[in-house]
């Protein structure tokens, strides 16, 4: 198995980053999927024209991420049908990376 990290970079209207990251505060279904290890949501508000969010998910192997990516649960989580108000999201980009080196905290005695 080859651990991977999937990073969804979401570009958001300037000043709306906190609003969008709040949507991730409550765990939905991704955390129940086989092979899921963790999710981290990062926010950068330093851009001049937009905020940038990185949703980083770590998986035991690419096959588990692919299963999630093509699942009904993923489609439902990203359903944008008939939004109540215009979305502050202006675009996104998903990339995956193989984890080649990982250092964990040293155990203390």
């Amino acid at each position: 198995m080859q651990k991977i990290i999937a990073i969804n970079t979401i570009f958001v209207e300037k000043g709306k980053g906190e609003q969008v990251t709040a949507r991730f505060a409550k765990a939905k279904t991704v955390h129940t999927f086989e092979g899921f290890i963790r999710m981290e949501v990062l926010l950068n508000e330093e851009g001049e024209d937009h905020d940038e969010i990185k949703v980083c998910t770590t998986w035991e192997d690419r096959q588990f991420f692919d299963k999630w990516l093509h699942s009904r649960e993923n489609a439902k989580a990203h359903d944008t049908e008939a939004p109540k108000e215009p979305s502050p999201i202006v675009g996104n980009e998903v990339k995956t990376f193989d984890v080649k080196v990982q250092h964990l905290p040293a155990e203390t005695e």
Side-chain angles (χ1 to χ4, degrees), residues 68-104:
W68 159 252
L69 191 61
H70 301 293
S71 71
R72 178 178 40 193
E73 292 85 353
N74 181 37
K76 186 177 178 183
H78 294 95
D79 183 16
T80 57
E81 198 172 307
K84 295 176 184 163
E85 57 186 60
S87 174
I89 298 172
V90 296
N92 80 301
E93 175 183 59
V94 177
K95 292 183 179 181
T96 59
F97 299 86
D98 293 337
V99 176
K100 295 298 185 182
V101 177
Q102 179 177 355
H103 295 281
L104 300 173

Side-chain angles (χ1 to χ4, degrees), residues 18-67:
E18 288 287 345
Q19 173 188 338
V20 175
T21 58
R23 298 178 188 178
F24 295 92
K26 182 179 178 189
K28 307 264 186 323
T29 58
V30 69
H31 72 287
T32 67
F33 263 69
E34 180 182 9
F36 174 81
I37 297 173
R38 75 173 152 265
M39 173 190 282
E40 296 170 305
V41 180
L42 313 174
L43 173 61
N44 181 315
E45 298 175 296
E46 295 177 6
E48 288 185 25
D49 57 346
H50 66 270
D51 293 346
E52 186 175 313
I53 298 166
K54 293 200 182 278
V55 180
C56 308
T57 53
T58 304
W59 299 85
E60 290 177 13
D61 192 78
R62 180 173 299 276
Q63 68 177 346
F64 299 119
F65 171 70
D66 289 342
K67 216 180 221 183

Side-chain angles (χ1 to χ4, degrees), residues 2-13:
Q2 173 65 57
K3 193 183 297 184
I4 71 158
I5 296 177
I7 301 176
N8 183 5
T9 302
I10 305 170
F11 304 100
V12 179
E13 292 174 7

